[in-house]
Amino acid sequence: MMLALGCVQSLSCNTNTCPSGVATQNPKLSKGLDPTDKGERVRNYHHKTVESLMDILSSTGHNSPDHLNRTQIFRRISQWEVKRYDEIFPLIKRGSLLGEELPEALRLHFLEANADSFMPSSHLADIDKETKNIDA
């Protein structure tokens, strides 16, 4: 929606210096916004989004998004592979991220996470060292 409005993703939304005038109260910067043109673009984007949702619903035999779930939507992964969304994004048991029952797909990410730094822990680095050792 923001792109349809003219956002150029300059990541300055909170500085009141948005160059496209979308996220600013500065009259000089917001002067570039043409409400008639942008309004039409946003309307078209929203219309196409709703149309796409209706395509998905009709393809799955549903008439409401409330009945849709990740087992009914497929995504092309590559030229030869198609997976259901529940295969790509597996269901996680409630509370499993708080205990020892980590889902296997997330285990390494949790081992690498560090609350004190954005730098990963050493688990992958150890694997890297092991693969680079050459015994003569």
Side-chain angles (χ1 to χ4, degrees):
M1 199 65 82
M2 291 295 288
L3 293 173
L5 192 56
C7 174
V8 294
Q9 297 183 356
S10 66
L11 304 177
S12 60
C13 306
N14 62 325
T15 64
N16 205 29
T17 59
C18 171
S20 62
V22 173
T24 183
Q25 296 297 312
N26 185 331
K28 289 181 183 177
L29 294 172
S30 61
K31 187 169 56 173
L33 280 177
D34 176 7
T36 307
D37 173 55
K38 301 301 184 187
E40 184 66 21
R41 291 175 62 178
V42 169
R43 188 201 74 78
N44 290 340
Y45 179 82
H46 181 65
H47 178 75
K48 289 294 184 183
T49 302
V50 171
E51 195 175 274
S52 295
L53 174 62
M54 296 310 293
D55 285 346
I56 291 171
L57 289 175
S58 64
S59 297
T60 58
H62 297 298
N63 54 10
S64 169
D66 296 344
H67 304 289
L68 195 61
N69 66 53
R70 64 179 82 194
T71 64
Q72 299 157 334
I73 303 174
F74 291 78
R75 180 175 180 174
R76 179 169 295 285
I77 303 300
S78 69
Q79 186 175 356
W80 302 276
E81 188 177 13
V82 174
K83 286 187 173 184
R84 288 187 326 264
Y85 261 53
D86 67 316
E87 294 173 307
I88 302 168
F89 307 107
L91 293 171
I92 298 172
K93 279 194 232 173
R94 185 180 304 261
S96 67
L97 301 180
L98 300 173
E100 298 296 319
E101 290 185 55
L102 288 173
E104 193 56 43
L106 299 177
R107 188 173 304 283
L108 184 58
H109 298 292
F110 269 72
L111 290 172
E112 287 296 301
N114 183 342
D116 300 320
S117 169
F118 287 110
M119 188 67 139
S121 298
S122 61
H123 300 285
L124 286 175
D126 292 342
I127 292 170
D128 193 41
K129 286 177 192 173
E130 290 175 18
T131 60
K132 289 185 179 181
N133 284 345
I134 299 175
D135 294 330

